Amino acid sequence: MNKVIRGIVATSMMLLVFSVADISAQQYLAAGAVRANTPVERQVFKKINGLPYYGVFDHISFEVKGSQVVLYGKVNSLGTRRDAERAVSRVPGVTSVVNNIVNLPPSPFDDRIRRSIVRSFENSGGLYMYLREPSPSVRIIVENGRVSLEGYVNNSGTANLMNILANQTPGVFKVKNNLITESARDR
């Protein structure tokens, strides 16, 4: 049995073992993917997740320092960087916004990798549920062939499976798995 067939069989077997549930934005927030303990943090979280073009290929995180909000992350969608800063600056209690969000450069090579990863998650069964819009719980960041998986999943098996599938994608040089699981939340 060659490596590809063994990989497909192993992936299929893992899918039989792991169940995938629909993750809401509230569960994502509660999971510690974003520590939102104050009303300002909750409002910033809602504003970011409500951005019109904030999709599965964008990832924004933030830190509240008094009345200042610092935005971090990488976005593929045009205008999302500016829209995030504008939306967060309108949150009551926020006096300044430091925008450290990076716009990813346009790249047909990276676009092909993004589509391939989504397709492999789609074909693997229930993993596609983590990518559903408007507020996907998993985000796929691709920059120069390097992939970063961000967000929240139910268990480490799902996180590992996503990591394996992303690593098997043609053109991917490296995968960084930053997925947060329920067990990590409970610590």
Side-chain angles (χ1 to χ4, degrees):
M1 198 181 268
N2 67 27
K3 282 174 119 177
V4 174
I5 293 173
R6 278 189 300 213
I8 291 170
V9 169
T11 301
S12 298
M13 294 301 285
M14 282 190 267
L15 284 173
L16 292 172
V17 175
F18 304 120
S19 65
V20 178
D22 189 16
I23 306 301
S24 69
Q26 192 61 32
Q27 289 170 311
Y28 181 74
L29 180 62
V34 176
R35 299 266 185 230
N37 300 320
T38 68
V40 170
E41 290 172 332
R42 285 190 291 274
Q43 284 297 311
V44 168
F45 179 79
K46 286 180 184 178
K47 291 288 186 183
I48 290 170
N49 275 310
L51 294 171
Y53 300 108
Y54 183 49
V56 72
F57 303 124
D58 306 307
H59 181 254
I60 299 173
S61 60
F62 66 89
E63 182 179 10
V64 176
K65 298 177 179 180
S67 63
Q68 180 185 59
V69 176
V70 182
L71 299 173
Y72 306 96
K74 295 182 179 186
V75 294
N76 186 50
S77 305
L78 291 177
T80 301
R81 179 183 189 275
R82 184 186 61 236
D83 290 347
E85 181 177 356
R86 190 177 307 126
V88 169
S89 69
R90 294 182 185 140
V91 171
V94 174
T95 58
S96 66
V97 178
V98 177
N99 193 343
N100 294 329
I101 298 170
V102 175
N103 280 319
L104 293 170
S107 167
F109 175 72
D110 287 345
D111 287 343
R112 196 169 28 254
I113 291 172
R114 289 179 187 102
R115 286 189 305 270
S116 293
I117 291 173
V118 168
R119 198 174 310 112
S120 70
F121 287 3
E122 227 174 50
N123 294 336
S124 68
L127 294 183
Y128 188 70
M129 293 182 70
Y130 288 102
L131 305 177
R132 286 193 316 195
E133 302 286 345
S135 184
S137 62
V138 171
R139 309 223 177 228
I140 303 165
I141 307 305
V142 181
E143 184 176 19
N144 301 322
R146 288 166 180 75
V147 175
S148 178
L149 300 174
E150 306 285 345
Y152 170 79
V153 295
N154 279 350
N155 55 54
S156 60
T158 300
N160 291 337
L161 179 56
M162 287 182 163
N163 186 52
I164 290 166
L165 292 172
N167 267 304
Q168 291 176 347
T169 303
V172 170
F173 299 123
K174 181 179 180 181
V175 175
K176 186 171 184 182
N177 189 349
N178 293 325
L179 295 172
I180 298 168
T181 64
E182 264 188 56
S183 60
R185 179 192 70 182
D186 295 336
R187 288 183 198 160

